[in-house]
Amino acid sequence: MVLKVITYPNKNLFMKSKPVENFDENLHKFLDDLYDTMRAYDGIGISAIQVDKPIRAMLVLIPRQSQELDENGEFIAEQFKEDLLEIINPQFIELEGEQICKEGCLSVPDFYEDVKRAKSIKLKFFDRFGKEQILSADGLKAVCIQHEYDHLEGHLFIEKIGYTKRKKFDKDYKAKIKELKAKSEN
Ligand code: QAP
Ligand code: CO
């Protein structure tokens, strides 16, 4: 079931999410709905607060490209796979280096900007069954996990862009909301 995604400036996006306590059927149903929602909106990451549920859970779905080779190592085909991560009650163990990546957010539609984050991370979290997991990541996967972690803390990526870019964003976003409101009233 696809859930409704709340968008900026909805103030619930600035709430700190609470740890998950029960790894039960209700949680599993919710995670499945969160997945349907991420897919429906074409996201690579989503956190529970974005569907107005302030619990410390996120999904990350990063595409992975690999080459299918035959027994002689000759190229057969390009394969496109993706790894789904269900991350509950995460805690960073390591944050190292720096990288800059253009980010977007389902809760800030049609806006993309460069954000500086750690290059590689090590994370402790729980899966949907309450089993503890350890994960190392870099590149886009590390960026996405840090972006979603910020949601759990009540932060958005627009808080991490420079002052001038933020001012321009505020102006453009307000104008866009006004325009959408005028359209819906016609
Ligand atoms: C966070 O964001 C992220 O504006 C996940 O119209 C983004 O999936 C981490 C999206 C980039 C790392 C790099 C945004 C879809 C999806 C939009 C998303 C839109 C439709 C954002
Ligand atoms: Co986001």
Side-chain angles (χ1 to χ4, degrees), residues 86-123:
E86 293 184 328
I87 296 175
I88 299 159
N89 300 349
Q91 251 183 300
F92 288 110
I93 303 167
E94 267 175 40
L95 288 159
E96 269 174 17
E98 277 181 9
Q99 62 177 323
I100 293 173
C101 177
K102 193 151 261 141
E103 298 187 17
C105 182
L106 295 174
S107 295
V108 189
D110 303 324
F111 177 74
Y112 308 89
E113 196 47 78
D114 284 345
V115 178
K116 186 157 82 177
R117 306 248 182 215
K119 184 171 166 47
S120 66
I121 63 164
K122 198 166 165 187
L123 192 78

Side-chain angles (χ1 to χ4, degrees), residues 5-184:
V5 171
I6 61 173
T7 54
Y8 179 78
N10 188 317
K11 64 179 189 330
N12 292 356
L13 288 167
F14 299 98
M15 288 171 48
K16 189 171 154 123
S17 294
K18 293 267 188 303
V20 170
E21 286 174 357
N22 298 311
F23 295 81
D24 57 11
E25 252 168 64
N26 288 330
L27 176 71
H28 297 177
K29 168 78 171 89
F30 172 73
L31 292 171
D32 293 345
D33 289 347
L34 195 59
Y35 178 81
D36 292 344
T37 309
M38 177 171 67
R39 287 248 93 124
Y41 283 82
D42 261 329
I44 59 166
I46 194 168
S47 48
I49 190 63
Q50 293 181 272
V51 296
D52 220 359
K53 196 168 168 95
I55 63 168
R56 299 180 83 81
M58 65 166 85
L59 303 182
V60 170
L61 186 77
I62 303 293
R64 182 162 50 93
Q65 206 174 327
S66 66
Q67 294 187 346
E68 189 185 342
L69 305 176
D70 68 15
E71 60 274 16
N72 305 314
E74 298 285 340
F75 176 84
I76 299 174
E78 207 71 60
Q79 289 197 321
F80 297 92
K81 294 183 180 162
E82 42 198 13
D83 301 313
L84 174 68
L85 283 168
E86 293 184 328
I87 296 175
I88 299 159
N89 300 349
Q91 251 183 300
F92 288 110
I93 303 167
E94 267 175 40
L95 288 159
E96 269 174 17
E98 277 181 9
Q99 62 177 323
I100 293 173
C101 177
K102 193 151 261 141
E103 298 187 17
C105 182
L106 295 174
S107 295
V108 189
D110 303 324
F111 177 74
Y112 308 89
E113 196 47 78
D114 284 345
V115 178
K116 186 157 82 177
R117 306 248 182 215
K119 184 171 166 47
S120 66
I121 63 164
K122 198 166 165 187
L123 192 78
K124 193 175 91 176
F125 63 98
F126 294 87
D127 66 15
R128 63 160 63 202
F129 305 105
K131 185 168 181 286
E132 196 173 295
Q133 307 280 344
I134 303 267
L135 167 83
S136 294
D138 59 13
L140 183 61
K141 194 183 273 185
V143 171
C144 197
I145 291 169
Q146 292 171 78
H147 174 113
E148 300 311 329
Y149 187 86
D150 277 353
H151 278 298
L152 308 188
E153 293 295 308
H155 292 299
L156 296 176
F157 80 107
I158 53 170
E159 297 169 47
K160 288 180 137 46
I161 64 179
Y163 180 82
T164 313
K165 282 175 176 162
R166 179 58 192 268
K167 286 293 156 226
K168 180 167 167 25
F169 163 77
D170 286 341
K171 188 165 155 276
D172 294 351
Y173 200 85
K174 264 192 201 134
K176 197 183 96 177
I177 290 172
K178 218 171 148 183
E179 194 183 306
L180 287 174
K181 192 163 171 280
K183 264 189 200 153
S184 72

